Amino acid sequence: MLAKDIMTKNVITIKENDNVEYIAKLLLKYNISGLPVVNDENEVVGIITEADLIYRSKKLKIPTHIELLGSYIFLESFKTIENQIKKMTAYKAKDLMTTDVITVDYEEDIEEIASIMIDKKINRIPVLKEGKLVGIISRKDIIKGYTKK
C-alpha cells in the first residue's frame, strides 16, 4: 500500500503570515494536531503542531554559565535562547513553524512511512507529488491502512 492510498487528500493548510490565533482556531475547529505551512505554489515551507503552540506558554530557560576570572562563559549557544524567545513571542506562522519538514512522495510505501514516523517521533507527514503538497498522513491513517489490507 502506498501513501496515495491512505493519505488525507483535502489538506487544511496555512500561510506564513497567518496569525497564531487563527492557527489555534483551525486546529480546534477541525480536531487536528498539526498544519502544513505552504507558499503560493503549494510547496511545504513549514509545519505547525499543537506542541509549537504550547511552547509559547513554557518558562524561558536561561542559558547555563560559569564565572571564570570575572567573566561569564555560557555553556549553551545564544542561538538557543534566541530561538526560544522567538517561538514564545511568535505572532505569525513563520515565527513559530518548524522549517525542517519531513515529507514523503505520494508513491512511498506505507511501511517506510510508518518507520519514518516512529524513528523521527512525528505524528504526521505531508505527502508531495513533484514537490507540491497533495496530501497528509497521520498515525491514524497508517492504522486505517493496515485494516484495509
Side-chain angles (χ1 to χ4, degrees):
M1 194 168 298
L2 305 176
K4 64 184 177 182
D5 301 321
I6 62 167
M7 69 185 187
T8 299
K9 294 179 177 103
N10 296 323
V11 184
I12 300 162
T13 62
I14 54 176
K15 300 286 189 177
E16 289 181 284
N17 285 319
D18 287 339
N19 70 52
V20 173
E21 182 180 347
Y22 172 72
I23 295 164
K25 286 179 180 178
L26 280 179
L27 292 175
L28 291 171
K29 179 179 179 180
Y30 293 102
N31 194 29
I32 53 178
S33 60
L35 292 162
V37 183
V38 297
N39 62 19
D40 292 337
E41 289 77 40
N42 207 37
E43 299 165 329
V44 177
V45 295
I47 197 159
I48 291 185
T49 67
E50 291 170 323
D52 294 317
L53 291 173
I54 291 169
Y55 194 97
R56 299 178 74 220
S57 299
K58 81 176 222 119
K59 289 183 180 179
L60 181 63
K61 182 181 173 218
I62 304 300
T64 308
H65 67 278
I66 57 174
E67 189 175 346
L68 182 65
L69 302 172
S71 298
Y72 291 103
I73 300 172
F74 289 93
L75 303 177
E76 298 174 35
S77 162
F78 276 111
K79 190 73 172 163
T80 302
I81 195 166
E82 182 182 334
N83 287 337
Q84 282 184 43
I85 292 170
K86 183 178 178 183
K87 277 196 169 212
M88 292 171 80
T89 60
Y91 176 70
K92 297 203 181 255
K94 64 183 174 186
D95 300 322
L96 189 62
M97 68 186 187
T98 299
T99 55
D100 187 19
V101 183
I102 296 168
T103 61
V104 295
D105 186 78
Y106 79 116
E107 293 282 348
E108 188 66 68
D109 187 79
I110 188 173
E111 284 82 10
E112 180 62 26
I113 297 166
S115 295
I116 292 168
M117 288 179 150
I118 297 300
D119 293 345
K120 301 293 184 178
K121 298 179 174 108
I122 55 177
N123 297 327
R124 77 211 46 78
I125 299 180
V127 180
L128 308 180
K129 181 178 181 181
E130 299 174 6
K132 309 289 185 196
L133 181 69
V134 293
I136 194 162
I137 295 176
S138 68
R139 290 182 177 198
K140 192 175 283 188
D141 293 321
I142 299 277
I143 293 167
K144 285 180 191 174
Y146 286 137
T147 63
K148 292 178 183 178
K149 283 187 171 183

